[in-house]
Amino acid sequence: MDAVAVADAAGRIAAAMARIIVGKPDTIRLALVAMLAEGHLLVEDVPGVGKTTLAKALARAVDGAVSRVQFTPDLLPGDITGSSVYNRQTSEFEFRPGPVFANVVIADEINRASPKTQSALLECMAEHQVTVDGGTYPLGDPFMVVATQNPVEMDGTYPLPEAQQDRFTIRVSVGYPDPAAELAMLEEHGSTDPLERLRPVTDLRTLRSMIAGVRGLHTAAEVRRYCVEVVGATRRLPDVRLGASPRATLHLLRAARAWAATAGRGYVVPDDVQAVAVPVLAHRLVLGPEGVAARRTPADLVRAAVARVAVPSPPRG
């Protein structure tokens, strides 16, 4: 599938989601970018702004299997991945798949579960498979984890370790709607659940073709080098104790390809890298004492890193 066809299909998906998530086109586009980049999405915001609804709308629009797991302190790894159950009739253990066996897995309030349970998602997110009792089971194709967390109410939570945050391609914040969008939401959604009216606008076969088209999008050597330099600049900032990882460089390139494809362009330009730099890199940075004292935010530091890197000139001829 070429970039024009990808953009057309992505536009239909975004339009369907926009009827549910009112007034948030950028957030919707970034959620689509995460899916087309074969990545995972972390939605961090206060309660009631539509974090879970965003994930459900995305899954329903592409006609994918969706499962939702409410993370709690007593949740066990087997509650997510599945477990082996003894069958008395056959006298053998049988694997019972858990909710992770879906196309879109919503990990609701992921920071409320223990680190042991959080780590059950690491293999799923990195390798798209589950290993239980020596057996390996492939997950859905495509497969995406959409995790939500509340950054305000931290009592009784287990913050995601850096290694797990690094596996999320993009972090977004839905934010409060403006008054006009909130009024439109009351008029349209005040009496019914809008998700009940959402119908798929594409299918998984088309989505796989879109992902393949994004994967093959032309990326010049200068743009790839630009991605490396931007990520490298985050490691040299004086306010940063831990910069972005090599995995972040790969995610930045994939997200830039997806961003370009949703614009209908068959090649990546530096503007695409800049457009996704903050949502791809900010959640991976660990601030040092100077950054904390100066009240710098990771997003500000990513912008500072981007500003330090010279934009490559287009090739001549």
Side-chain angles (χ1 to χ4, degrees):
M1 183 179 288
D2 61 17
V4 175
V6 171
D8 180 65
R12 294 197 304 271
I13 298 171
M17 294 176 64
R19 293 195 291 269
I20 310 299
I21 309 296
V22 181
K24 297 295 177 181
D26 293 338
T27 302
I28 291 172
R29 186 177 181 182
L30 285 171
L32 269 172
V33 164
M35 174 173 278
L36 295 177
E38 301 175 85
H40 308 287
L41 181 67
L42 178 61
V43 188
E44 187 177 273
D45 216 322
V46 296
V49 295
K51 300 187 296 293
T52 306
T53 302
L54 173 70
K56 288 183 176 180
L58 178 61
R60 293 195 182 189
V62 300
D63 200 20
V66 58
S67 64
R68 177 179 176 273
V69 183
Q70 182 66 50
F71 278 60
T72 55
D74 60 346
L75 193 72
L76 299 176
D79 297 331
I80 300 173
T81 61
S83 58
S84 296
V85 178
Y86 184 73
N87 188 328
R88 290 190 175 185
Q89 294 180 346
T90 62
S91 299
E92 295 179 349
F93 282 93
E94 297 178 352
F95 177 66
R96 299 284 178 87
V100 77
F101 287 84
N103 298 115
V104 177
V105 178
I106 304 172
D108 219 352
E109 295 188 290
I110 188 173
N111 55 334
R112 292 202 174 279
S114 67
K116 181 178 180 180
T117 302
Q118 292 176 9
S119 66
L121 286 175
L122 291 178
E123 182 186 11
C124 306
M125 296 170 68
E127 303 174 38
H128 292 192
Q129 66 180 27
V130 167
T131 301
V132 176
D133 294 335
T136 300
Y137 308 92
L139 298 175
D141 179 26
F143 172 74
M144 179 183 186
V145 172
V146 181
T148 71
Q149 64 176 356
N150 174 10
V152 178
E153 186 184 352
M154 302 302 292
D155 292 340
T157 63
Y158 304 86
L160 290 178
E162 287 77 8
Q164 187 149 1
Q165 290 199 61
D166 195 47
R167 283 171 167 78
F168 287 98
T169 302
I170 286 176
R171 183 185 66 179
V172 298
S173 176
V174 179
Y176 292 116
D178 59 54
E182 196 163 5
L183 180 60
M185 179 189 71
L186 293 179
E187 294 175 351
E188 297 177 13
H189 307 161
S191 57
T192 60
D193 183 359
L195 283 171
E196 295 179 357
R197 303 194 305 268
L198 180 60
R199 296 292 178 265
V201 295
T202 187
D203 53 27
L204 291 179
R205 181 179 178 181
T206 302
L207 179 59
R208 294 187 192 102
S209 297
M210 295 169 67
I211 292 172
V214 169
R215 195 185 301 138
L217 207 70
H218 174 70
T219 310
E222 293 82 3
V223 175
R224 296 197 298 271
R225 190 176 301 110
Y226 182 60
C227 291
V228 172
E229 292 175 353
V230 167
V231 173
T234 67
R235 304 166 189 163
R236 297 188 295 271
L237 293 172
D239 293 335
V240 173
R241 180 166 60 88
L242 182 64
S245 67
R247 183 189 287 119
T249 312
L250 180 60
H251 286 179
L252 182 62
L253 176 62
R254 290 177 176 175
R257 284 174 177 164
W259 187 271
T262 56
R265 198 177 337 100
Y267 54 91
V268 183
V269 298
D271 285 349
D272 300 320
V273 178
Q274 296 172 6
V276 298
V278 171
V280 171
L281 301 178
H283 61 286
R284 307 171 196 264
L285 304 186
V286 178
L287 274 62
E290 297 85 357
V292 174
R295 296 185 179 180
R296 304 290 299 276
T297 66
D300 291 337
L301 294 172
V302 171
R303 296 186 188 99
V306 171
R308 287 187 172 198
V309 179
V311 178
S313 301
R316 295 181 179 179

